[in-house]
């Protein structure tokens, strides 16, 4: 699954709300959108995720304009005001509330299972604003990938939470190497580093890739995630909530 933002923009230069940007993302190869200002990253994420129509340009999914298909396939991750947790929420509470949102039993046992399978138990009672950025990105991305039909992610401005770009991009890279299509919206400074790090991603064989991108399984089950040394099963995980833009 390939998504292309072809010279998309909102508003007129100079001072456009979203200056014209282009990017291509495919399984194993994240697409990078470099934008500045407070509003532009949110607008870029909404456009990339099929939630907002650009005033100029096109967003193509496998060569076709299909906003509905993009909305179904792509989850917004940590997009300010749309899909970000409250700063003082603990990691445990985030998982619990998302279990409830997904109509799964938000019991302590199930929450602990999610945390264990992600290897994040040590952060269970930590406010999300205080966890390392790579942990935050991993938690929210892995939960998003368990949404039914989600095979792509739009990750918004991880650099705003601090930390080295190399640290949180390693999470993005690992997710992409599993065959997930990732659009990364970030600052121009962070994007410069990311562009260099993209060279560290080895091409994947998409004809043999199985995992989060395999949204239509013949047995009707949801795909299981491979998150580092552990996995989150469909019985124990959920996804970040998106507010209506």
């Amino acid at each position: 699954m390939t998504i292309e933002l072809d010279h998309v923009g909102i508003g007129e230069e100079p001072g456009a709300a979203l200056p014209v940007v282009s990017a291509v993302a495919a399984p194993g190869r994240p697409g990078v959108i470099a934008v500045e200002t407070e509003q532009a990253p949110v607008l870029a994420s909404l456009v990339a995720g099929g939630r907002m129509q650009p005033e100029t340009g096109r967003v193509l999914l496998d060569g076709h304009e299909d906003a509905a298909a993009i909305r179904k396939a792509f989850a917004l991750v940590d997009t300010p005001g749309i899909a970000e947790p409250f700063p003082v929420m603990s990691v445990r509470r985030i998982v619990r509330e998302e279990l409830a949102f997904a109509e799964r039993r938000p019991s302590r046992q199930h929450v602990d299972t999610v945390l264990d399978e992600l290897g994040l138990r040590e952060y269970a009672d930590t406010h999300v604003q205080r966890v390392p950025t790579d942990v935050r990105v991993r938690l929210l991305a892995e939960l998003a990938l368990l949404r039914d039909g989600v095979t792509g992610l739009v990750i918004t401005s991880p650099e705003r939470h601090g930390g080295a770009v190399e640290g949180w991009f390693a999470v993005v890279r690992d997710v992409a190497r599993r065959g997930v299509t990732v659009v990364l919206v970030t600052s121009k400074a962070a994007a410069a580093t990311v562009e260099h790090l993209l060279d560290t991603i080895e091409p994947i064989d998409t004809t043999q890739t199985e995992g989060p991108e395999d949204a239509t399984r013949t047995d009707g089950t949801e795909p299981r995630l491979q998150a580092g040394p552990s996995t989150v099963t469909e019985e124990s995980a959920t996804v970040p909530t998106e507010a209506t833009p």
Side-chain angles (χ1 to χ4, degrees):
M1 180 178 69
T2 299
I3 188 169
E4 178 182 1
L5 283 76
D6 179 18
H7 295 87
V8 299
I10 297 175
E12 298 181 357
E13 297 287 357
L18 175 62
V20 173
V21 293
S22 296
V24 178
R29 187 73 178 182
V32 181
I33 301 175
V35 289
E36 300 291 349
T37 77
E38 181 178 355
Q39 185 182 29
V42 175
L43 295 178
S45 298
L46 292 173
V47 169
R51 277 73 168 174
M52 179 178 288
Q53 182 72 26
E55 294 181 1
T56 60
R58 305 177 299 167
V59 182
L60 305 175
L61 184 64
D62 292 331
H64 303 282
E65 292 188 78
D66 191 339
I70 293 172
R71 287 194 297 271
K72 182 177 180 180
F74 282 82
L76 303 183
V77 176
D78 210 17
T79 305
I82 307 297
E84 72 174 342
F86 290 112
V88 295
M89 289 181 68
S90 69
V91 170
R92 183 188 300 279
R93 183 180 172 189
I94 291 170
V95 175
R96 180 186 299 116
E97 292 198 357
E98 297 303 340
L99 283 171
F101 175 75
E103 298 183 352
R104 304 179 189 274
R105 288 191 301 156
S107 67
R108 185 179 183 88
Q109 180 181 356
H110 285 181
V111 171
D112 287 344
T113 297
V114 172
L115 293 170
D116 286 340
E117 291 176 340
L118 288 177
L120 301 180
R121 177 72 81 94
E122 66 178 298
Y123 296 104
D125 299 315
T126 304
H127 290 173
V128 70
Q129 66 181 348
R130 296 177 180 171
V131 302
T133 302
D134 61 317
V135 172
R136 180 189 182 105
V137 173
R138 184 180 177 203
L139 173 69
L140 299 181
E142 296 292 6
L143 293 177
L145 283 170
L146 287 179
R147 176 175 292 183
D148 185 30
V150 168
T151 56
L153 302 174
V154 179
I155 302 176
T156 310
S157 304
E159 79 285 346
R160 75 186 191 274
H161 302 298
V165 174
E166 292 82 357
W168 55 257
F169 183 74
V171 177
V172 176
R173 178 199 63 205
D174 291 345
V175 170
R177 288 176 65 183
R178 300 204 318 256
V180 178
T181 301
V182 180
V183 177
L184 174 64
V185 181
T186 189
S187 68
K188 292 181 179 180
T193 301
V194 166
E195 291 290 351
H196 173 72
L197 295 172
L198 282 172
D199 294 334
T200 67
I201 302 179
E202 297 180 0
I204 63 172
D205 184 353
T206 56
T207 64
Q208 298 181 5
T209 300
E210 296 182 358
E213 77 286 4
D214 187 14
T216 55
R217 297 231 176 144
T218 56
D219 61 2
T221 61
E222 295 179 8
R224 295 171 184 264
L225 298 187
Q226 296 180 358
S230 58
T231 60
V232 178
T233 66
E234 62 271 26
E235 288 82 8
S236 64
T238 181
V239 297
T241 304
E242 292 182 21
T244 302

